[in-house]
Amino acid sequence: MRLEAITWDRLGDLLAERLLDLKPADGSPWPRIAFDGAPAAHPGDLAHRVREALRVRGRSALVVGTEGFLRPASVRLEYGHRDVEAYYSGWYDTGALWREVFGPLEAGGDGRVLPDLWDPAADRATRSPYVRLPPEGLLLMHGPFLLRHWFPFDLSVHVLLSPGALRRRTPEDEHWTLPAFERYERETDPAGTADVLVRADDPRHPAWSG
């Protein structure tokens, strides 16, 4: 796939322009967009950049990070602090994401979304208030492994790091997670299945598929 060099500011603007005309296939009034990538790729930074670009264009958007839907430590770390299978398949509360985020944004839903559920640092519920997205408001969800759960995204953006860049930019005490991202590449092929691909090996000089 051919990628074109771009700046982060320009990328945020172009993605926002593309999202202005996005219509969910299921008839929902709320477009749902994935910003998929390893933590070292910082997909959340791009999601927030797009939200700001949408705001100046008069469109509401809610950024939701899956780190706010981690399972409690007693469940997440049941098999130890460095269990790759648990990290890949059991750290994130996908049931809560379906119930509290995607369900309310289905056709006929009320648009009342919970932006986060669990504080992993304090290991307790956040008790955040619900947020009601107006019709045509956009959900911008970011996190790892998003494209393996059949979430009903209307557009997906994958922020890609080469294996070498992923290793360099992942803190050493988190290198144990790298096999999970190798498995994700094998099983899901996010670079090949995402609607938009952003390569961020050099964080100063991204490139994208257009």
Side-chain angles (χ1 to χ4, degrees):
M1 180 182 294
R2 183 175 179 178
L3 301 179
E4 300 176 359
I6 194 170
T7 67
W8 288 111
D9 285 341
R10 181 66 174 153
L11 178 58
D13 286 337
L14 289 177
L15 284 174
E17 290 289 341
R18 181 169 178 175
L19 296 179
L20 290 177
D21 296 324
L22 183 64
K23 303 297 182 186
D26 65 355
S28 166
W30 301 284
R32 296 144 297 195
I33 296 87
F35 291 84
D36 177 61
H42 301 290
D45 291 353
L46 181 56
H48 283 281
R49 192 181 297 271
V50 171
R51 179 184 65 178
E52 178 60 19
L54 287 166
R55 184 191 66 80
V56 301
R57 290 164 172 78
R59 288 288 292 275
S60 298
L62 175 66
V63 176
V64 173
T66 57
E67 75 273 8
F69 287 83
L70 285 170
R71 297 182 186 277
S74 60
V75 177
R76 194 170 73 247
L77 307 177
E78 180 181 2
Y79 300 104
H81 288 254
R82 298 190 172 195
D83 187 277
V84 176
E85 177 62 34
Y87 178 66
Y88 186 64
S89 301
W91 272 38
Y92 296 93
D93 193 341
T94 55
L97 286 166
W98 278 104
R99 182 179 66 252
E100 303 290 359
V101 181
F102 291 107
L105 300 182
E106 294 176 349
D110 61 7
R112 189 170 172 265
V113 173
L114 188 65
D116 54 58
L117 178 65
W118 198 260
D119 179 346
D123 198 32
R124 60 178 174 79
T126 57
R127 294 185 171 84
S128 295
Y130 283 85
V131 176
R132 192 178 298 276
L133 262 180
E136 298 191 344
L138 296 97
L139 170 70
L140 310 179
M141 179 173 287
H142 63 88
F145 314 132
L146 288 180
L147 305 184
R148 65 178 294 261
H149 297 296
W150 300 101
F151 290 142
F153 292 118
D154 301 297
L155 187 136
S156 56
V157 180
H158 177 63
V159 185
L160 173 68
L161 296 178
S162 67
L166 178 60
R167 176 170 288 275
R168 289 193 304 271
R169 292 174 57 184
T170 298
E172 188 171 351
D173 64 352
E174 296 176 15
H175 278 188
W176 66 271
T177 65
L178 297 179
F181 294 103
E182 294 171 4
R183 178 177 173 186
Y184 183 52
E185 292 288 336
R186 290 195 309 271
E187 295 183 351
T188 307
D189 185 24
T193 57
D195 299 300
V196 177
L197 180 64
V198 178
R199 186 152 200 154
D201 286 1
D202 182 343
R204 300 166 298 174
H205 303 292
W208 80 313
S209 58

